[in-house]
Amino acid sequence: MAADDIGQLADALSRTHVGDGELSYQGRGLKLDNAESVAGLVTEIAQYQGLRALRLEGNTIGVEAAQAIAKALEDKDQLQKCHWSDMFTGRLRAEIPTALRSLGSAITSAGARLSELDLSDNAFGPDGVKGIEQLLMSPSCHSLKVLRLNNCGMGIGGGKILAEALTECHRRSSALGAPLSLRVFIAGRNRLENEGASALAKAFKLLGSLEELHVPQNGINHPGIRALASAMQHNPHLRVLNLNDNTFTKRGALAMAQALRHLKNIQVINFGDCLVRTEGAMALSAVLREGLPILKELNLSFGEITEPAALLLAQAVLNKPQMEKVDLNGNCLGEEGCEALREAMEVMDKADMLASLSDDEGEPDDEDDDDDNETDEDDNETFEDEEKENLDEEEEHSKENGVNCNGNSPSSKLQSPTKIASYLCSPSSEKELDLEDKTASLEHQDQVDADDPERAADVLLKISASYKEEAESGEALLEAVDAVLKTMLSASLLQSTCFLSTLLVHMGLLKGEGKVKRVPVVSAQLSCLTHAVQQPYFQQHHALLLHTVLCRNGKALKSCSSALEGLQDALKRRCSADH
């Protein structure tokens, strides 16, 4: 061993932190290639009685050096924490699994019971996961509480191997009467994608013990997000959920909103740079309004969220006494929208919790195409079978809780109360209402189902387009409108919000995903909504949502200015009714 290396190691050892059961060589920058290079370190480990934590991060360790360290660990049965991040810099990837197996074998031989394992920033790929597979399944990890594997390049394959190891660990530990109870899982920047994330979701669902989940920047699209959302419903103690820089789109956002309804202990939500978009943000605002009592931080930055949804989110955090930070930077509010959001937060005396809006993207162009949604479908064709399996499990669990996988009640179905509603599913202003002849053939088509807000919105707009106050059919038409809206708005706040946002997209008042067939709005439809706003089923929070959107995007209805004015007046009265 060169004199310089010996001197470097001696200097490092002199600065080694020893105390409270921890031996630390953190950040020494040591290049440890063989047994000779780690002789002093090995001696210190061997002589340390009651070793509970070993920090080796920030050095680079070769196979021979790892084997020598492993030998010293074989009798350290009190070891609980292994801080081993960033300790293979410059090593061949093929070396890393061998080194990890040696260290893992020593831990199991010693009979140690780990509570924390940190192997972040080691870029060992799927083969590296194989290197810790036996350790993770061993009794030494039955007690594991914290697993950190950030920036390890695991990929889909590594994610699947890891999921299988955790599942097997849970099976073995359960057989001994003490199931694995992992609390913190961190695996950002690992290219897990949908398949890796879905495999892990199955393991998380089985564990049911997570308190923190961090899987940012993993290339996960809506199928993987939906699988994770389903798993989170089985982890009621979750406090921190970080999915930053993945891709939700509408389907992923709605599934995650549904999951959040079950998470009463959540304190930090990070969905920044996740393409939550406006409809997803509105769904999340509904969950915020009715739940999440101890939420502290909400990050929905860079998600293509527009001004109305941002304002609804601001209103939803009003009753959150522990709220500390709301980040809506980098969205599509525009200058006026940013100012309106700041004013809204100031009025509620919450201005200090709003993060900077300096990177706002400005209002979206009407001509922009939402190709991301179609791309997601193309990219995930090979994943359809696995997604279907996940969604079947998700739906089964959701039905047990009285909701389906998109947040709606599975039994919330309207049978039309009158023959007129049946006929008006396909109305024609040129035809007389020949109910006796038409009802029988349309009877099977007149169902409005809360599981299908798209159809409900379409039916409502068709019914209301034929309304004429002076016509004999006017009263019957309003009855049909009431029947549809009462069904869609009488369920949970999340359900009704999803329906209203869908309705507004069809009316051209909100920008939706993909190719949405917008219905030209006529005054008759606004008149029917004016009637509906005054009915008991149209609650204040429904009026607030509709009023917020119309105030910002009402110019799209300038051809119906008189009817629009009447609707806005009715909404103002309804919004202030309980004040």
Side-chain angles (χ1 to χ4, degrees), residues 53-65:
L54 178 61
R55 309 195 75 104
L56 297 175
E57 64 265 53
N59 301 291
T60 177
I61 300 174
V63 172
E64 288 186 31

Side-chain angles (χ1 to χ4, degrees), residues 26-64:
Q26 181 180 9
R28 301 292 186 251
L30 301 174
K31 190 173 185 297
L32 307 173
D33 297 322
N34 50 42
E36 185 182 7
S37 67
V38 292
L41 184 152
V42 165
T43 299
E44 281 211 344
I45 293 174
Q47 293 177 351
Y48 195 104
Q49 299 300 311
L51 180 64
R52 293 195 297 273
L54 178 61
R55 309 195 75 104
L56 297 175
E57 64 265 53
N59 301 291
T60 177
I61 300 174
V63 172
E64 288 186 31

Side-chain angles (χ1 to χ4, degrees), residues 333-344:
L333 310 185
E335 290 185 15
E336 292 184 5
C338 287
E339 186 59 32
L341 180 59
R342 292 190 190 97
E343 289 179 2

Side-chain angles (χ1 to χ4, degrees), residues 267-313:
Q267 296 180 23
V268 178
I269 297 173
N270 186 345
F271 296 162
D273 203 13
C274 282
L275 213 61
V276 169
R277 290 180 169 155
T278 295
E279 288 180 272
M282 284 185 164
L284 291 171
S285 75
V287 177
L288 275 168
R289 183 178 289 275
E290 68 177 357
L292 311 185
I294 59 173
L295 188 66
K296 293 181 178 180
E297 294 184 21
L298 176 65
N299 184 349
L300 292 175
S301 59
F302 299 93
E304 294 190 5
I305 297 169
T306 55
E307 179 188 351
L311 290 172
L312 290 171
L313 286 165

Side-chain angles (χ1 to χ4, degrees), residues 251 277 370-380 513-515:
R251 281 172 285 185
R277 290 180 169 155
D370 289 311
D371 295 329
D372 304 84
N373 191 41
E374 297 175 8
T375 302
D376 285 347
E377 293 175 358
D378 295 338
D379 290 344
N380 290 296
E513 283 188 0
K515 295 179 180 179

Side-chain angles (χ1 to χ4, degrees), residues 514-536:
K515 295 179 180 179
V516 178
K517 184 180 179 181
R518 294 180 178 177
V519 177
V521 177
V522 296
S523 296
Q525 292 160 326
L526 301 184
S527 296
C528 287
L529 284 175
T530 301
H531 159 81
V533 168
Q534 301 172 65
Q535 306 310 307

